[in-house]
Amino acid sequence: MNNLASTYRKILIILLCTGLITPAFSQPKNTPQKFLLRDEGLSQLSYVDVANPSNNWYMPVPTGRDIQLVGQGRVLIGTGNGYEERNISNGEKVFELVSFPNTLSAHRMRNGNTLLTGMDWQGKKGVVLIEVDKTGAIKREIDYGGFTYLRLARETPTGTLLVAAEDTVFEGNLDGKVLWKVKIQGKKDKPHVWQALRLSNGKTIVA
C-alpha cells in the first residue's frame, strides 16, 4: 500500500510540473514557476514552465552528469566526452567540447574555466579532475588516489574542491591533497552521496 501511495505522489508531481493539472491549493508568493530538469536515466533535458505549459520543451541529450546555469541564457551539462551548453529558451545546443572521452561530469568554475571529472582517467588512478579553458586546453590536472567511485565535484568560495565519492565526501586542494574526508552513515544498503556544497556559514551540506 505504501508503494502504491508513493507511486501516486510521483504521478501527481509529474502532472503538476508538466502543467496537465492545476494545483487546488494556493502557492506561497515567489514560488518558482520555471524549472530545468536533467534526467540521467532517460538522458533527457527538460524545461518546465508551470504557469505557461506551452513553453515547455523536452530534449534528448548525451549521457553524463551535472547541470548548471552559466549565464547568457545558457545551461551547461556534462557529457561522456566533455560538456555542452544549450539555450534555455529552446534547448538548442550552442557549444560543445568533445575532446575528453569517459568524462563523468562537468562544472563551470568561477574563473570561467570548466572542471571535468573522471575515474582512473587521463593516465592517472582514482578521482581525476582536469580544468580546461574554452578552447579545450588543459590548464590543470588534479588526482586524488585511493577512491573507487565519483559523483560530482564543487568548487568552494576559498578555491578548494568538495567531492562526492559514493559513501565519502572529501575536500581537496588544487595540488591533489585531501584536506579532510568523512564517510557518510546511512542504512544497511550502501549510501550514495551525490554532491556536497559549502554554505555561507562555513558548514558543508551533502545530498
Side-chain angles (χ1 to χ4, degrees):
M1 185 67 180
N2 289 337
N3 290 338
L4 184 59
S6 176
T7 299
Y8 283 152
R9 283 196 296 271
K10 291 177 181 177
I11 293 173
L12 176 61
I13 291 171
I14 291 171
L15 291 174
L16 287 173
C17 288
T18 54
L20 295 179
I21 62 175
T22 302
F25 51 86
S26 59
Q27 297 181 351
K29 193 175 182 180
N30 299 323
T31 297
Q33 297 290 305
K34 300 175 183 179
F35 303 87
L36 271 171
L37 311 169
R38 183 175 190 174
D39 190 316
E40 185 178 324
L42 293 177
S43 294
Q44 178 172 280
L45 186 66
S46 304
Y47 175 83
V48 177
D49 186 338
V50 176
N52 299 286
S54 61
N55 294 332
N56 295 354
W57 54 257
Y58 310 92
M59 189 74 63
V61 295
T63 58
R65 294 174 182 161
D66 224 338
I67 179 172
Q68 181 185 11
L69 299 176
V70 292
Q72 297 182 319
R74 296 183 179 187
V75 58
L76 178 148
I77 60 171
T79 70
N81 291 303
Y83 70 91
E84 293 182 352
E85 292 183 21
R86 291 176 175 263
N87 280 330
I88 295 174
S89 60
N90 56 17
E92 177 187 1
K93 182 171 62 179
V94 292
F95 181 82
E96 66 177 351
L97 180 70
V98 294
S99 308
F100 299 95
N102 300 315
T103 296
L104 291 178
S105 67
H107 189 74
R108 182 64 43 80
M109 303 178 72
R110 289 177 174 81
N111 63 8
N113 291 337
T114 303
L115 190 70
L116 303 180
T117 74
M119 280 297 308
D120 296 333
W121 192 47
Q122 302 295 308
K124 302 180 184 299
K125 291 292 185 180
V127 169
V128 181
L129 313 176
I130 59 173
E131 179 184 341
V132 299
D133 66 14
K134 293 180 180 179
T135 70
I138 297 176
K139 296 301 182 180
R140 189 191 308 270
E141 296 185 12
I142 311 166
D143 61 286
Y144 302 105
F147 299 95
T148 59
Y149 196 86
L150 172 65
R151 279 295 178 180
L152 303 179
R154 289 289 183 269
E155 186 182 18
T156 72
T158 57
T160 58
L161 300 170
L162 289 172
V163 183
E166 195 166 39
D167 62 354
T168 300
V169 172
F170 69 88
E171 183 172 357
N173 64 20
L174 300 184
D175 295 322
K177 179 181 179 181
V178 175
L179 304 177
W180 60 264
K181 64 180 179 179
V182 60
K183 190 169 184 176
I184 303 300
Q185 301 298 317
K187 297 180 179 180
K188 291 183 179 180
D189 55 328
K190 203 170 187 180
H192 290 276
V193 181
W194 285 86
Q195 68 172 317
L197 297 173
R198 180 63 40 79
L199 301 177
S200 59
N201 61 8
K203 295 182 179 181
T204 300
I205 185 172
V206 299

